[in-house]
Amino acid sequence: MGALDGGLDIPHSDMRFAGFSKDGKQLDPEVHRKYIYGGHVAIYMRNLMEDEPEKYHTHFSEYIKRRIEADDMEELYKKVHAAIHVDPTAKKSEKEPPKEHKRYNLKRLTYEERKARLIERLNVLNSAAGVDDDDKDDDE
């Protein structure tokens, strides 16, 4: 279910789909169906659950919260596809926008601010140089 199903004319070939055998030059519909309905995700979930349980819990934490198991993936994908067919319009996210945007680079100073900063630095340098000159005069 994708752009082609939505009616877009995209030049493509069956060779691009999962389940195409280069040797037999045939598309295996069962393998293709398995990928459409999340069978590859279910296999990955089972492998992670057996081999690396910690990684499984981090990768699939939302699935675990919603009690979605590897065996439920095909049913979930069918339900999602059905919901998309009923109403294909995109839904607006219900998350609140951040209250304050993070700023990683410094805010650019105005000309007046840069000029005042330069004068301040020059005054600090001049006063430091003046202190050193007074010390030299005392030594002589």
Side-chain angles (χ1 to χ4, degrees), residues 5 67 108 110:
D5 296 326
R67 298 175 190 217
R108 187 171 178 177
T110 64

Side-chain angles (χ1 to χ4, degrees), residues 43-132:
I43 291 170
Y44 181 63
M45 285 175 76
R46 285 187 195 102
N47 289 342
L48 269 185
M49 202 179 327
E50 293 171 6
D51 299 338
E52 302 175 55
E54 301 86 27
K55 193 173 181 181
Y56 169 77
H57 286 291
T58 57
H59 279 295
F60 294 102
S61 62
E62 284 296 317
Y63 286 76
I64 293 168
K65 279 184 202 172
R66 297 170 191 219
R67 298 175 190 217
I68 299 171
E69 307 249 337
D71 298 329
D72 304 331
M73 292 303 292
E74 185 171 344
E75 188 65 35
L76 174 70
Y77 274 69
K78 284 181 180 180
K79 193 185 310 182
V80 168
H81 286 187
I84 290 171
H85 283 292
V86 169
D87 184 16
T89 58
K91 303 283 189 264
K92 190 76 173 168
S93 175
E94 296 176 10
K95 291 193 302 187
E96 291 184 22
K99 292 177 179 47
E100 184 177 326
H101 293 285
K102 292 181 182 178
R103 189 172 183 104
Y104 296 103
N105 56 351
L106 297 176
K107 186 178 177 187
R108 187 171 178 177
L109 300 175
T110 64
Y111 174 73
E112 287 78 23
E113 291 171 334
R114 290 193 308 265
K115 189 173 175 183
R117 202 166 170 196
L118 176 65
I119 291 171
E120 183 182 322
R121 282 191 306 201
L122 288 175
N123 288 338
V124 168
L125 284 174
N126 287 337
S127 65
V131 170
D132 290 342

Side-chain angles (χ1 to χ4, degrees), residues 1-8 10 36 81 85:
M1 307 293 162
L4 293 173
D5 296 326
L8 292 179
I10 300 172
I36 289 173
H81 286 187
H85 283 292

